[in-house]
Amino acid sequence: MQDGVEIRRLGSGVVIVVAGCIVGLIALAMTVRRGLTAWPYALTFGLLVAVGEMIQFRVDRSRNRAPIATSAALGYVLLRPPEVEIPPGVAQVIAVTGVATLVGVLPRMIAGLRWDMVVSSRRLLSVAAAAAVFSAIVPSDLYWDGSLTSAIALTGAMLLAVLCAVVMDALVGAGQATEQYNQPFPAALRDEAMVAARIGMAMGISGILLAIGTSLLGLWGPPLVVVPLILTQFAFRRFASAQRTYRTTVRSMARSTEIAGFSSPGQNARTAKLAVALGYDLGLTPRRMEALEYAALLSGVGQLALADPSPGGASLLRTREERQRAAEIGASVIERSGVLDHVAEIVRHSNDPYRHGRANNPAIPVESGIVNVALAYEQLVGEGSGQSPDKAMESIGLGIGAEYDPVVVDSLRRIVGRGFRF
């Protein structure tokens, strides 16, 4: 991140930003040439988009959220008030959204706050898709006239336009995740669809309500409809704050083994980094990915109950009985938190040999095998170990089918082959 602007160093990210800029500039040029229609509505919705961008926030690690900006932009797309002779065209919708986005993020850039250019460009492209679909299927003379026929036709068209925007964003996001995390495209699309079903459609429905309220009440509509959006944003921010606190607590627990000398500095973080890469490659769901990362970070907590630390944090030098006892103790400690039972189960079986564990008991989560392989590779290649990735893969390969899960080892081979480094 530089000067508050986050630019992901990815080919797909550059393409998305360039596409968004090209679409926005073309739309702005067309709007300037044709002139702005119904400027009070353009100003009102542009102001909502700008405010939404200004107070955007990050709920998860993948993207910033701006529910007010997204809902306002979609609301402007779907606007069909009876007193407006010429509804906003596709070019005007894109131009107003693009200019408002820049106006909204300018204070963030000045303040040095995070702004993800790729996410803003994705939002603009999704709005463009919705505007194109809505304009293509809704005649310019169809508006809210109080009849049931027009209400049904407009509501159906709005839902279709919102769905197109959600699908567009999901497809772009899945392609981006495939490149960024080497995640299989079907798994990435599944994750994006889950996010779209929970958050994307909620913002889309809010946009529909905003458009209907404004169409029926005029400029009195946005202040009335935007209040629930503000409350929703406040709830999202509280959730994001709780998630950050949760992650900070887990990382602090993980560092306790390093402070006590039972693991080398950064060992738990490196193990978690590799475990997450393996999880992406194997197509785990976001919920399982979170549990996997926490389990990798906390996999060494049980060693604190052992008499002496391993030299350099190399737990592989301990006997099988010691490692499994440490894993059981660690799982018990994690269970006492009351909210990490799924993580505790992963840690409990993280030192089980594959032949006597998951090979005969499918109930053992694959995440346990991932943590086992990630920890072994880290201890062979991590700081101070001295082994090359090829040598480490050769050592791990000797334990395929007995010590390590073959599926996970194959995934590790792919990741290392793509150049993974701590």
Side-chain angles (χ1 to χ4, degrees):
M1 188 174 68
Q2 183 177 4
D3 297 330
V5 181
E6 181 181 341
I7 304 177
R8 297 176 182 170
R9 297 182 179 180
L10 297 169
S12 61
V14 173
V15 171
I16 293 170
V17 172
V18 171
C21 291
I22 291 175
V23 171
L25 289 174
I26 292 175
L28 181 61
M30 294 175 64
T31 303
V32 170
R33 185 168 60 111
R34 297 174 181 174
L36 192 68
T37 62
W39 67 266
Y41 290 93
L43 181 62
T44 299
F45 280 88
L47 180 62
L48 286 176
V49 172
V51 171
E53 288 284 354
M54 191 184 306
I55 59 175
Q56 64 177 253
F57 59 98
R58 176 157 291 198
V59 172
D60 49 38
R61 288 169 290 166
S62 60
R63 74 174 74 174
N64 284 19
R65 302 289 179 189
I68 293 179
T70 302
S71 299
L74 290 174
Y76 190 52
V77 168
L78 309 174
L79 192 63
R80 282 296 185 275
E83 65 269 21
V84 177
E85 296 182 0
I86 303 177
V90 177
Q92 181 169 315
V93 168
I94 298 172
V96 170
T97 302
V99 172
T101 298
L102 292 177
V103 171
V105 300
L106 185 60
R108 297 184 64 87
M109 295 174 63
I110 294 175
L113 299 176
R114 182 189 299 271
W115 172 42
D116 194 327
M117 293 179 64
V118 178
V119 171
S120 294
S121 299
R122 281 175 56 176
R123 191 176 296 124
L124 182 63
L125 292 174
S126 299
V127 168
V133 170
F134 191 70
S135 177
I137 62 178
V138 177
S140 59
D141 59 349
L142 180 62
Y143 54 87
W144 295 92
D145 58 6
S147 67
L148 181 62
T149 303
S150 65
I152 293 176
L154 279 170
T155 302
M158 287 177 172
L159 288 171
L160 181 59
V162 167
L163 182 61
C164 287
V166 170
V167 170
M168 174 75 164
D169 187 70
L171 289 172
V172 174
Q176 195 176 359
T178 298
E179 182 182 27
Q180 183 175 9
Y181 304 116
N182 292 307
Q183 189 177 16
F185 183 79
L189 185 59
R190 175 205 63 205
D191 295 346
E192 289 290 334
M194 291 171 60
V195 173
R198 295 195 308 267
I199 301 177
M201 286 304 296
M203 291 187 289
I205 297 300
S206 298
I208 292 177
L209 295 177
L210 185 59
I212 294 175
T214 306
S215 298
L216 297 177
L217 302 176
L219 293 177
W220 289 102
L224 297 176
V225 179
V226 81
V227 172
L229 288 177
I230 294 175
L231 296 177
T232 301
Q233 170 128 347
F234 177 74
F236 270 126
R237 293 182 73 94
R238 291 291 300 270
F239 174 75
S241 177
Q243 287 292 95
R244 286 193 296 269
T245 302
Y246 199 49
R247 291 180 58 81
T248 300
T249 302
V250 171
R251 291 187 178 276
S252 297
M253 289 177 62
R255 289 194 67 243
S256 63
T257 60
E258 300 176 12
I259 295 173
F262 283 83
S263 59
S264 61
Q267 177 179 323
N268 296 322
R270 290 191 296 272
T271 302
K273 179 181 178 181
L274 177 55
V276 167
L278 290 167
Y280 275 123
D281 185 75
L282 294 173
L284 299 186
T285 62
R287 179 175 175 81
R288 294 179 67 181
M289 287 290 298
E290 182 181 58
L292 171 62
E293 182 179 10
Y294 289 167
L297 286 169
L298 300 175
S299 59
V301 169
Q303 294 189 64
L304 295 174
L306 300 180
D308 299 306
S310 305
S315 60
L316 293 180
L317 298 179
R318 294 187 180 275
T319 65
R320 169 74 61 192
E321 291 73 17
E322 285 182 317
R323 282 187 283 155
Q324 291 188 315
R325 183 163 64 91
E328 182 62 39
I329 293 173
S332 300
V333 171
I334 296 170
E335 282 178 333
R336 288 184 186 138
S337 68
V339 294
L340 293 174
D341 290 351
H342 54 306
V343 175
E345 188 65 16
I346 298 172
V347 173
R348 176 172 285 110
H349 298 286
S350 61
N351 277 292
D352 291 355
Y354 176 74
R355 178 181 296 170
H356 302 295
R358 191 166 184 271
N360 299 313
N361 185 5
I364 295 177
V366 68
E367 291 91 326
S368 296
I370 292 175
V371 173
N372 191 14
V373 171
L375 182 60
Y377 185 82
E378 192 285 328
Q379 293 191 14
L380 292 171
V381 178
E383 294 183 11
S385 300
Q387 287 197 23
S388 66
D390 291 340
K391 183 65 175 176
M393 285 303 308
E394 182 181 341
S395 300
I396 292 176
L398 296 175
I400 290 180
E403 183 70 28
Y404 307 115
D405 189 333
V407 174
V408 179
V409 175
D410 287 342
S411 176
L412 177 63
R413 187 173 289 112
R414 289 192 297 270
I415 291 173
V416 173
R418 288 193 291 259
F420 175 89
R421 295 293 183 271
F422 289 119

